[in-house]
Amino acid sequence: QSALTQPASVSGSPGQSITLSCTGTSSDVGAYNFVSWYQQHPGKAPKLMIYDVTNRPSGVSNRFSGSKSGNTASLTISGLQAEDEADYYCSSYTSSSTLVFGGGTKLTVL
Amino acid sequence: QLQLQESGPGLVKPSETLSLTCTVSGGSISSSSYYWGWIRQPPGKGLEWIGSIYYGGSTYYNPSLKSRVSISVDTSNNQFSLRLTSVAAADTAVYYCARVSRYCSTTTCYSKLFDYWGQGTLVTVSS
């Protein structure tokens, strides 16, 4: 199975909004609403930020939001803060009953 | 609070078998609401799903690793384990165990998300 496609890097200034994309196929992102997003700081385990495309777990800031259109899912971070600087990964269930991650996007807060 | 902890050798020789165990505390591994999964991350690279297991024994593997991977569950000790055979330098990575949320419709069950993760353990493949 091929990894979902994410841009390698994205940057933004504090206070701005940025959107990270995650492109799959009609067999994964496009077929199911089981897309999730994870934040990973250096040396730490990933943390769930968004699940089922749009839902936020308890304790995650409402500055984080998710959406999907066709085979592409998106994570939007509004009011960018220095602490948001991290790697972000998307994941999706696939029609082969497997899970697949994106290659990850490094977010830099300028 | 649910906790997961990986354990096992940090150094494995090429061509040998990598074996790791994940111990779950603060909750039962025998829950119909979850699968239990392994994910790895080579140094400086992205996440790769290795596979998942249900407490009843059903397994799901990444097709690229399927010929070398085996995941098992020990409900009496609240643990699940990973075996990866014929390892090479490319298998050097931080290995994470995680809880996988499971959703079932009337006909099919799906893996939705990874909500609890272990801290990860670095396994180096080297002679």
Side-chain angles (χ1 to χ4, degrees), chain B residues 45-68:
Chain B
K45 297 188 177 181
L47 301 170
E48 179 180 35
W49 174 74
I50 300 171
S52 301
I53 191 166
Y54 185 57
Y55 81 92
S58 301
T59 52
Y60 306 87
Y61 298 131
N62 187 322
S64 68
L65 297 170
K66 190 171 185 176
S67 64
R68 298 194 293 129

Side-chain angles (χ1 to χ4, degrees), chain B residues 5 11 17 24 28 42 49 57 67 85 92 113 116 124:
Chain B
Q5 178 68 57
L11 180 64
T17 297
V24 179
S28 174
W49 174 74
S67 64
T85 62
T92 293
L113 56 94
Y116 283 91
T124 302

Side-chain angles (χ1 to χ4, degrees), chain B residues 65-118:
Chain B
L65 297 170
K66 190 171 185 176
S67 64
R68 298 194 293 129
V69 171
S70 174
I71 298 176
S72 60
V73 65
D74 178 356
T75 56
S76 61
N77 288 307
N78 232 30
Q79 297 176 327
F80 61 105
S81 298
L82 169 70
R83 291 183 76 249
L84 182 65
T85 62
S86 304
V87 297
D91 295 309
T92 293
V94 174
Y95 286 76
Y96 294 99
C97 60
R99 189 176 80 171
V100 186
S101 180
R102 179 175 183 257
Y103 165 74
C104 293
S105 66
T106 54
T107 57
T108 307
C109 292
Y110 306 88
S111 301
K112 290 188 13 167
L113 56 94
F114 304 92
D115 57 358
Y116 283 91
W117 296 66

